[in-house]
Amino acid sequence: ASEATQDTPTVAPQPNEEAQRREQITALVTQWATSWSAKDLDSYFYAYADQFQPEGKKSQSEWVKERKQRIASKSKIAVQVNQLVIEPLDASQMRANFTQIYEADGLQSSTLKTLHLSRQEGVWKITREFTP
C-alpha cells in the first residue's frame, strides 16, 4: 500500500482573496479589450462604473459620447493587453497596469495604461483610466 492515507479527502486549496481578485480583474480587462475590439459598446461600457471619472475635465456623458463616436467610426479595431500587472490599492480597490496595443484603420500604437477598479455589487468595474 502507498503511504497516502485513504480517509483524507483530496481538497484543492482555496485561492486566497487577493488571487481571486486578480483572476476576476484579469477576466474583466480581457473582456473589456475583447468588447472594444468587437465594437460591442454595451459590453465595453458595462466594464465601467457608474461613477467613472474620465481624465481631464470631461463629464461622463461627454466621454461616453466621444468613445461611441471614436469606436463606431473605425472599420476594424484590435486591442491587446500585454504585461498585465494587478496590485491592490486598498481593501476595496485594485490597479491594473499594462501595455495596450491598439490597432485601427492602419494606425497602430503601444501605450502604457492604468485602470483603477473597485467592486460594485460583487462585480469589478473601472473607476479611473490613465494613459500617461
Side-chain angles (χ1 to χ4, degrees):
S2 71
E3 303 226 353
T5 57
Q6 296 296 324
D7 56 5
T8 306
T10 54
V11 178
Q14 290 296 312
N16 68 33
E17 191 174 333
E18 189 170 314
Q20 285 181 330
R21 294 191 325 175
R22 287 174 195 274
E23 276 182 30
Q24 292 164 349
I25 289 168
T26 299
L28 171 77
V29 172
T30 301
Q31 179 60 42
W32 167 83
T34 301
S35 299
W36 188 0
S37 297
K39 302 201 301 184
D40 179 346
L41 294 175
D42 289 340
S43 182
Y44 174 79
F45 286 116
Y46 180 75
Y48 290 88
D50 290 341
Q51 71 274 23
F52 172 74
Q53 299 174 319
E55 278 189 279
K57 302 249 187 253
K58 284 188 194 108
S59 70
Q60 188 175 6
S61 61
E62 289 171 326
W63 176 83
V64 167
K65 182 179 176 186
E66 181 182 273
R67 295 303 301 144
K68 284 181 177 178
Q69 289 172 341
R70 283 190 178 170
I71 292 169
S73 71
K74 306 291 186 270
S75 60
K76 182 176 185 283
I77 298 174
V79 180
Q80 294 175 37
V81 172
N82 290 346
Q83 299 162 327
L84 178 63
V85 176
I86 299 166
E87 50 198 16
L89 288 170
D90 60 32
S92 63
Q93 296 187 83
M94 300 284 279
R95 175 174 48 219
N97 294 312
F98 53 93
T99 301
Q100 174 183 292
I101 310 295
Y102 174 85
E103 204 171 334
D105 298 347
L107 167 81
Q108 182 171 1
S109 66
S110 173
T111 54
L112 296 175
K113 182 85 132 207
T114 299
L115 302 176
H116 286 189
L117 307 108
S118 68
R119 196 188 316 243
Q120 300 183 343
E121 297 172 16
V123 179
W124 287 95
K125 298 279 189 169
I126 300 166
T127 54
R128 305 283 311 271
E129 182 174 42
F130 306 96
T131 307

